[in-house]
Amino acid sequence: MSRFRFPVGRLPDEALLSGLAGGDPELAVSFVRRFQHRVFGVAIAVTGDPQLAEDIAQQTFERAWRHAQIYDSRRGSVTTWLTTIAHNLAIDAVRSRRPEPVAPEDLDAILGVVSETPEQHALADEASSRLRAAVAELPPEQGRALVLAGIYGMTAQQVADRERIPLGTAKTRIRTAMGKLRTALAAPSVRRGDHAQ
């Protein structure tokens, strides 16, 4: 039974973070439970690798525990602070794992991992699910251009060189893919399983 007067799950984010920093096991568990889906969602969106995303999520909570005392609510919410940590760790992991360019034939598999993982159904974050679904609906050439530019940080010229297409075509694919994503994410949510296969 909780020693608090009301459910721990109703405590503010800052109180849970303080409990994490202070080593309170009940508050630490509640902190992780509250944010685990969101942190994992950020990591999987950046890496496309469920195992790596799990590692990044664990590192995120370890870093939050070590640095909780420097959190400043004037600079943003706990959610923003934590997801920024997860995003930065995920970007670093992708960069360190990709010293060589990705082969275009491997990008189709990466897009499949992003859109069809079992974790997709477990994630509570609706935005992450909708983003993966929107990426999966893109034509393959636009999806590859978007992943190369958005996840791997390639310039339009690098995308053009990698895909062996003119620079203008690469820019168009990236711009068109981004426009389709914006439209899809602005539209009302579609229930899982209602979209065409």
Side-chain angles (χ1 to χ4, degrees):
M1 175 128 187
S2 175
R3 64 188 184 282
F4 298 98
R5 281 180 279 167
F6 51 89
V8 173
R10 291 175 48 196
L11 286 173
D13 295 344
E14 292 81 5
L16 293 182
L17 180 61
S18 294
L20 176 73
D24 184 299
E26 187 176 2
L27 294 178
V29 167
S30 293
F31 181 84
V32 171
R33 284 185 179 151
R34 181 174 292 179
F35 294 105
Q36 64 187 357
H37 294 299
R38 187 167 289 142
V39 167
F40 181 81
V42 169
I44 193 77
V46 174
T47 66
D49 179 337
Q51 183 61 48
L52 181 57
E54 287 178 15
D55 292 343
I56 289 166
Q58 182 176 347
Q59 291 172 32
T60 300
F61 288 112
E62 288 171 0
R63 188 165 289 186
W65 171 67
R66 285 196 313 269
H67 300 289
Q69 69 279 1
I70 64 168
Y71 166 73
D72 183 355
S73 61
R74 294 171 298 183
R75 299 183 67 188
S77 68
V78 172
T79 302
T80 301
W81 179 70
L82 198 60
T83 55
T84 299
I85 292 171
H87 183 264
N88 291 342
L89 287 171
I91 292 290
D92 290 346
V94 168
R95 286 181 180 153
S96 69
R97 290 181 68 172
R98 296 287 179 195
E100 300 175 13
V102 179
E105 58 272 13
D106 293 339
L107 284 174
D108 292 329
I110 290 170
L111 285 172
V113 168
V114 170
S115 61
E116 296 297 333
T117 62
E119 286 76 13
Q120 176 181 10
H121 302 293
L123 288 176
D125 189 348
E126 178 71 19
S128 294
S129 298
R130 290 180 67 200
L131 177 62
R132 280 192 303 281
V135 170
E137 294 295 321
L138 292 173
E141 65 278 1
Q142 290 177 11
R144 284 194 305 272
L146 181 69
V147 169
L148 286 170
I151 295 180
Y152 296 104
M154 291 187 177
T155 65
Q157 183 62 62
Q158 290 170 323
V159 171
D161 294 344
R162 167 65 42 214
E163 294 281 283
R164 296 189 178 103
I165 55 175
L167 176 60
T169 302
K171 288 180 178 180
T172 299
R173 286 181 183 177
I174 295 167
R175 186 171 50 250
T176 302
M178 289 300 296
K180 287 179 179 178
L181 282 183
R182 280 190 203 99
T183 300
L185 295 176
S189 178
V190 175
R191 288 196 323 267
R192 192 176 283 128
D194 284 356
H195 62 280
Q197 296 296 321

